Amino acid sequence: MILAALSLSHIQRERLVQVLIAAAVFGILLGVVQLTSGGFGFYLWNATQEGTVKGFFGNRNHLASFLLVALPFAFISGAATLRRHDQKTSALWLGALFAGLIVVALAAIRSRAGITLFAPVMVFSLLAAWMAAGRGRPAPGLLVLVGSVGAALTAVAILALPPILARFDTENQLAGRSDHWPLVAEAAQTYLPLGSGIGSFDAVYRSVEPLAQLDSTYFNQAHNDYLETWLETGWLGVGVILAFFVWYFRRSWTAWKAPPSRATDLQRAASIGIGVVILHSVGDYPLRTVAMTVVFALCCGLLELARRADPARGPN
């Protein structure tokens, strides 16, 4: 996917983004069926909980991350029509509809990670949309995007706020994932400098897990990909992560300071999408889901294009 994003034409890259947005919409529609099926299933994976919204995924958190990655692309695609004075405003209205749909979907999914990340993703998506629209005084069309989000948030606050807040009630949750992290960190230090080996987390954690923590649940991932990478790959893995962060911030800085164009619009959206995965990886493992890995690779390929000179960025 990275090679495709780097080698395809700009029109083809836009089509890949359109496929991403379409997949997000179909995931939401499947989630609606799952929520209203009355226990008849419609889940693609056996290890899942009936009555929850998971779309094509087996985990609600991954569906939430997928939708948040798609959100800035929809915003920017709609806002860019204002800069180009495009008479066809369908992209703008579809972007507004998609934004409102995402808000309602996150309320139905009730992913704590998705709800927590929604605010920063929305702020940066609106900023990127403003830049895509030409960085001038907010046009009425841009206010449509804001209004759709506001209307959806109002509806959610009226109809579904108590169940959402209940998801953050730690008294009703099992032992927090972070409770296991000190034990993982302690185990990681014993395998330095090269780590215990990629894919060895489950076996290593079982060997050090205290008997007092044993119950009917299992902890086969650290729910913190940085910590798990440190355990399995040692300082080499930490070095790779740091190198990635350096690349990410340099390319993002280049993309955000560049003038608006069809290429830089996608690059700014890609930087937000990568940020979603980076933050979500602190408390989960989104990149261990193949679909999210492919989407992440698409975002990385798009952002890497920010290194190119302005004439190669593509048309406005």
PDB file of all heavy atoms in Angstrom, residues 26-46:
ATOM      1  N   PHE A  26     -19.845   1.835   4.941  1.00  0.00           N
ATOM      2  CA  PHE A  26     -20.390   0.477   4.967  1.00  0.00           C
ATOM      3  C   PHE A  26     -20.170  -0.173   6.329  1.00  0.00           C
ATOM      4  O   PHE A  26     -21.001  -0.963   6.793  1.00  0.00           O
ATOM      5  CB  PHE A  26     -19.756  -0.367   3.864  1.00  0.00           C
ATOM      6  CG  PHE A  26     -20.352  -0.132   2.508  1.00  0.00           C
ATOM      7  CD1 PHE A  26     -19.618   0.485   1.508  1.00  0.00           C
ATOM      8  CD2 PHE A  26     -21.653  -0.507   2.226  1.00  0.00           C
ATOM      9  CE1 PHE A  26     -20.155   0.720   0.259  1.00  0.00           C
ATOM     10  CE2 PHE A  26     -22.207  -0.278   0.976  1.00  0.00           C
ATOM     11  CZ  PHE A  26     -21.466   0.330  -0.008  1.00  0.00           C
ATOM     12  N   GLY A  27     -19.047   0.155   6.992  1.00  0.00           N
ATOM     13  CA  GLY A  27     -18.820  -0.358   8.336  1.00  0.00           C
ATOM     14  C   GLY A  27     -19.863   0.147   9.319  1.00  0.00           C
ATOM     15  O   GLY A  27     -20.332  -0.588  10.190  1.00  0.00           O
ATOM     16  N   ILE A  28     -20.232   1.431   9.167  1.00  0.00           N
ATOM     17  CA  ILE A  28     -21.268   2.001  10.032  1.00  0.00           C
ATOM     18  C   ILE A  28     -22.611   1.330   9.766  1.00  0.00           C
ATOM     19  O   ILE A  28     -23.352   0.986  10.699  1.00  0.00           O
ATOM     20  CB  ILE A  28     -21.364   3.520   9.810  1.00  0.00           C
ATOM     21  CG1 ILE A  28     -20.088   4.211  10.303  1.00  0.00           C
ATOM     22  CG2 ILE A  28     -22.574   4.095  10.537  1.00  0.00           C
ATOM     23  CD1 ILE A  28     -20.039   5.689   9.995  1.00  0.00           C
ATOM     24  N   LEU A  29     -22.938   1.126   8.482  1.00  0.00           N
ATOM     25  CA  LEU A  29     -24.205   0.487   8.143  1.00  0.00           C
ATOM     26  C   LEU A  29     -24.267  -0.935   8.687  1.00  0.00           C
ATOM     27  O   LEU A  29     -25.313  -1.377   9.201  1.00  0.00           O
ATOM     28  CB  LEU A  29     -24.388   0.481   6.624  1.00  0.00           C
ATOM     29  CG  LEU A  29     -24.541   1.855   5.964  1.00  0.00           C
ATOM     30  CD1 LEU A  29     -24.663   1.713   4.448  1.00  0.00           C
ATOM     31  CD2 LEU A  29     -25.747   2.593   6.530  1.00  0.00           C
ATOM     32  N   LEU A  30     -23.156  -1.663   8.604  1.00  0.00           N
ATOM     33  CA  LEU A  30     -23.123  -3.004   9.187  1.00  0.00           C
ATOM     34  C   LEU A  30     -23.288  -2.926  10.696  1.00  0.00           C
ATOM     35  O   LEU A  30     -23.960  -3.771  11.308  1.00  0.00           O
ATOM     36  CB  LEU A  30     -21.810  -3.705   8.826  1.00  0.00           C
ATOM     37  CG  LEU A  30     -21.621  -5.113   9.403  1.00  0.00           C
ATOM     38  CD1 LEU A  30     -22.750  -6.043   8.973  1.00  0.00           C
ATOM     39  CD2 LEU A  30     -20.269  -5.691   8.971  1.00  0.00           C
ATOM     40  N   GLY A  31     -22.707  -1.906  11.311  1.00  0.00           N
ATOM     41  CA  GLY A  31     -22.869  -1.723  12.746  1.00  0.00           C
ATOM     42  C   GLY A  31     -24.314  -1.466  13.133  1.00  0.00           C
ATOM     43  O   GLY A  31     -24.783  -1.940  14.179  1.00  0.00           O
ATOM     44  N   VAL A  32     -25.036  -0.730  12.292  1.00  0.00           N
ATOM     45  CA  VAL A  32     -26.461  -0.497  12.554  1.00  0.00           C
ATOM     46  C   VAL A  32     -27.220  -1.810  12.538  1.00  0.00           C
ATOM     47  O   VAL A  32     -28.079  -2.070  13.400  1.00  0.00           O
ATOM     48  CB  VAL A  32     -27.041   0.483  11.508  1.00  0.00           C
ATOM     49  CG1 VAL A  32     -28.558   0.581  11.648  1.00  0.00           C
ATOM     50  CG2 VAL A  32     -26.417   1.858  11.657  1.00  0.00           C
ATOM     51  N   VAL A  33     -26.907  -2.657  11.573  1.00  0.00           N
ATOM     52  CA  VAL A  33     -27.553  -3.975  11.499  1.00  0.00           C
ATOM     53  C   VAL A  33     -27.225  -4.803  12.733  1.00  0.00           C
ATOM     54  O   VAL A  33     -28.091  -5.482  13.305  1.00  0.00           O
ATOM     55  CB  VAL A  33     -27.123  -4.708  10.212  1.00  0.00           C
ATOM     56  CG1 VAL A  33     -27.691  -6.125  10.184  1.00  0.00           C
ATOM     57  CG2 VAL A  33     -27.579  -3.933   8.982  1.00  0.00           C
ATOM     58  N   GLN A  34     -25.974  -4.759  13.160  1.00  0.00           N
ATOM     59  CA  GLN A  34     -25.571  -5.510  14.355  1.00  0.00           C
ATOM     60  C   GLN A  34     -26.305  -5.024  15.592  1.00  0.00           C
ATOM     61  O   GLN A  34     -26.694  -5.822  16.453  1.00  0.00           O
ATOM     62  CB  GLN A  34     -24.058  -5.382  14.550  1.00  0.00           C
ATOM     63  CG  GLN A  34     -23.229  -6.051  13.469  1.00  0.00           C
ATOM     64  CD  GLN A  34     -21.760  -5.663  13.527  1.00  0.00           C
ATOM     65  OE1 GLN A  34     -21.380  -4.713  14.205  1.00  0.00           O
ATOM     66  NE2 GLN A  34     -20.926  -6.385  12.796  1.00  0.00           N
ATOM     67  N   LEU A  35     -26.497  -3.709  15.688  1.00  0.00           N
ATOM     68  CA  LEU A  35     -27.138  -3.135  16.868  1.00  0.00           C
ATOM     69  C   LEU A  35     -28.628  -3.430  16.903  1.00  0.00           C
ATOM     70  O   LEU A  35     -29.217  -3.556  17.985  1.00  0.00           O
ATOM     71  CB  LEU A  35     -26.899  -1.621  16.891  1.00  0.00           C
ATOM     72  CG  LEU A  35     -27.335  -0.863  18.139  1.00  0.00           C
ATOM     73  CD1 LEU A  35     -26.542  -1.337  19.357  1.00  0.00           C
ATOM     74  CD2 LEU A  35     -27.150   0.642  17.948  1.00  0.00           C
ATOM     75  N   THR A  36     -29.248  -3.541  15.741  1.00  0.00           N
ATOM     76  CA  THR A  36     -30.707  -3.693  15.679  1.00  0.00           C
ATOM     77  C   THR A  36     -31.150  -5.096  15.303  1.00  0.00           C
ATOM     78  O   THR A  36     -32.340  -5.330  15.086  1.00  0.00           O
ATOM     79  CB  THR A  36     -31.293  -2.702  14.655  1.00  0.00           C
ATOM     80  OG1 THR A  36     -30.720  -2.957  13.352  1.00  0.00           O
ATOM     81  CG2 THR A  36     -30.990  -1.263  15.059  1.00  0.00           C
ATOM     82  N   SER A  37     -30.212  -6.037  15.240  1.00  0.00           N
ATOM     83  CA  SER A  37     -30.551  -7.380  14.763  1.00  0.00           C
ATOM     84  C   SER A  37     -31.254  -8.225  15.815  1.00  0.00           C
ATOM     85  O   SER A  37     -31.745  -9.311  15.503  1.00  0.00           O
ATOM     86  CB  SER A  37     -29.286  -8.106  14.291  1.00  0.00           C
ATOM     87  OG  SER A  37     -28.354  -8.236  15.358  1.00  0.00           O
ATOM     88  N   GLY A  38     -31.274  -7.764  17.057  1.00  0.00           N
ATOM     89  CA  GLY A  38     -31.971  -8.518  18.093  1.00  0.00           C
ATOM     90  C   GLY A  38     -31.343  -9.851  18.415  1.00  0.00           C
ATOM     91  O   GLY A  38     -32.046 -10.830  18.706  1.00  0.00           O
ATOM     92  N   GLY A  39     -30.015  -9.917  18.349  1.00  0.00           N
ATOM     93  CA  GLY A  39     -29.320 -11.157  18.719  1.00  0.00           C
ATOM     94  C   GLY A  39     -29.150 -12.145  17.580  1.00  0.00           C
ATOM     95  O   GLY A  39     -28.740 -13.286  17.805  1.00  0.00           O
ATOM     96  N   PHE A  40     -29.446 -11.726  16.331  1.00  0.00           N
ATOM     97  CA  PHE A  40     -29.314 -12.633  15.194  1.00  0.00           C
ATOM     98  C   PHE A  40     -27.901 -12.647  14.626  1.00  0.00           C
ATOM     99  O   PHE A  40     -27.640 -13.328  13.652  1.00  0.00           O
ATOM    100  CB  PHE A  40     -30.308 -12.255  14.090  1.00  0.00           C
ATOM    101  CG  PHE A  40     -31.722 -12.610  14.421  1.00  0.00           C
ATOM    102  CD1 PHE A  40     -32.603 -11.657  14.897  1.00  0.00           C
ATOM    103  CD2 PHE A  40     -32.178 -13.917  14.272  1.00  0.00           C
ATOM    104  CE1 PHE A  40     -33.903 -11.979  15.212  1.00  0.00           C
ATOM    105  CE2 PHE A  40     -33.487 -14.248  14.582  1.00  0.00           C
ATOM    106  CZ  PHE A  40     -34.353 -13.284  15.051  1.00  0.00           C
ATOM    107  N   GLY A  41     -27.008 -11.880  15.186  1.00  0.00           N
ATOM    108  CA  GLY A  41     -25.614 -11.956  14.777  1.00  0.00           C
ATOM    109  C   GLY A  41     -25.197 -10.854  13.832  1.00  0.00           C
ATOM    110  O   GLY A  41     -25.174  -9.687  14.181  1.00  0.00           O
ATOM    111  N   PHE A  42     -24.875 -11.249  12.567  1.00  0.00           N
ATOM    112  CA  PHE A  42     -24.323 -10.357  11.554  1.00  0.00           C
ATOM    113  C   PHE A  42     -22.933  -9.883  11.945  1.00  0.00           C
ATOM    114  O   PHE A  42     -22.513  -8.798  11.560  1.00  0.00           O
ATOM    115  CB  PHE A  42     -25.243  -9.155  11.288  1.00  0.00           C
ATOM    116  CG  PHE A  42     -26.587  -9.539  10.730  1.00  0.00           C
ATOM    117  CD1 PHE A  42     -27.691  -9.607  11.556  1.00  0.00           C
ATOM    118  CD2 PHE A  42     -26.734  -9.853   9.388  1.00  0.00           C
ATOM    119  CE1 PHE A  42     -28.933  -9.968  11.055  1.00  0.00           C
ATOM    120  CE2 PHE A  42     -27.966 -10.212   8.878  1.00  0.00           C
ATOM    121  CZ  PHE A  42     -29.069 -10.267   9.707  1.00  0.00           C
ATOM    122  N   TYR A  43     -22.216 -10.690  12.730  1.00  0.00           N
ATOM    123  CA  TYR A  43     -20.826 -10.399  13.058  1.00  0.00           C
ATOM    124  C   TYR A  43     -19.927 -11.281  12.210  1.00  0.00           C
ATOM    125  O   TYR A  43     -20.261 -12.436  11.919  1.00  0.00           O
ATOM    126  CB  TYR A  43     -20.549 -10.648  14.539  1.00  0.00           C
ATOM    127  CG  TYR A  43     -21.285  -9.702  15.455  1.00  0.00           C
ATOM    128  CD1 TYR A  43     -22.506 -10.067  16.023  1.00  0.00           C
ATOM    129  CD2 TYR A  43     -20.780  -8.446  15.754  1.00  0.00           C
ATOM    130  CE1 TYR A  43     -23.189  -9.203  16.864  1.00  0.00           C
ATOM    131  CE2 TYR A  43     -21.458  -7.571  16.588  1.00  0.00           C
ATOM    132  CZ  TYR A  43     -22.661  -7.959  17.135  1.00  0.00           C
ATOM    133  OH  TYR A  43     -23.336  -7.094  17.962  1.00  0.00           O
ATOM    134  N   LEU A  44     -18.779 -10.742  11.828  1.00  0.00           N
ATOM    135  CA  LEU A  44     -17.869 -11.481  10.956  1.00  0.00           C
ATOM    136  C   LEU A  44     -16.909 -12.372  11.722  1.00  0.00           C
ATOM    137  O   LEU A  44     -16.227 -13.201  11.120  1.00  0.00           O
ATOM    138  CB  LEU A  44     -17.075 -10.497  10.085  1.00  0.00           C
ATOM    139  CG  LEU A  44     -17.908  -9.554   9.206  1.00  0.00           C
ATOM    140  CD1 LEU A  44     -16.989  -8.683   8.353  1.00  0.00           C
ATOM    141  CD2 LEU A  44     -18.871 -10.330   8.333  1.00  0.00           C
ATOM    142  N   TRP A  45     -16.853 -12.196  13.051  1.00  0.00           N
ATOM    143  CA  TRP A  45     -15.895 -12.950  13.851  1.00  0.00           C
ATOM    144  C   TRP A  45     -16.612 -13.620  15.016  1.00  0.00           C
ATOM    145  O   TRP A  45     -17.557 -13.087  15.570  1.00  0.00           O
ATOM    146  CB  TRP A  45     -14.778 -12.026  14.378  1.00  0.00           C
ATOM    147  CG  TRP A  45     -14.247 -11.115  13.318  1.00  0.00           C
ATOM    148  CD1 TRP A  45     -14.534  -9.798  13.132  1.00  0.00           C
ATOM    149  CD2 TRP A  45     -13.367 -11.479  12.251  1.00  0.00           C
ATOM    150  NE1 TRP A  45     -13.882  -9.300  12.034  1.00  0.00           N
ATOM    151  CE2 TRP A  45     -13.154 -10.312  11.469  1.00  0.00           C
ATOM    152  CE3 TRP A  45     -12.734 -12.663  11.894  1.00  0.00           C
ATOM    153  CZ2 TRP A  45     -12.332 -10.317  10.349  1.00  0.00           C
ATOM    154  CZ3 TRP A  45     -11.923 -12.653  10.775  1.00  0.00           C
ATOM    155  CH2 TRP A  45     -11.720 -11.496  10.024  1.00  0.00           C
ATOM    156  N   ASN A  46     -16.134 -14.812  15.375  1.00  0.00           N
ATOM    157  CA  ASN A  46     -16.784 -15.573  16.446  1.00  0.00           C
ATOM    158  C   ASN A  46     -16.533 -14.961  17.819  1.00  0.00           C
ATOM    159  O   ASN A  46     -17.424 -14.915  18.661  1.00  0.00           O
ATOM    160  CB  ASN A  46     -16.293 -17.026  16.433  1.00  0.00           C
ATOM    161  CG  ASN A  46     -16.765 -17.772  15.198  1.00  0.00           C
ATOM    162  OD1 ASN A  46     -17.849 -17.497  14.691  1.00  0.00           O
ATOM    163  ND2 ASN A  46     -15.947 -18.693  14.707  1.00  0.00           N
TER     164      ASN A  46
END
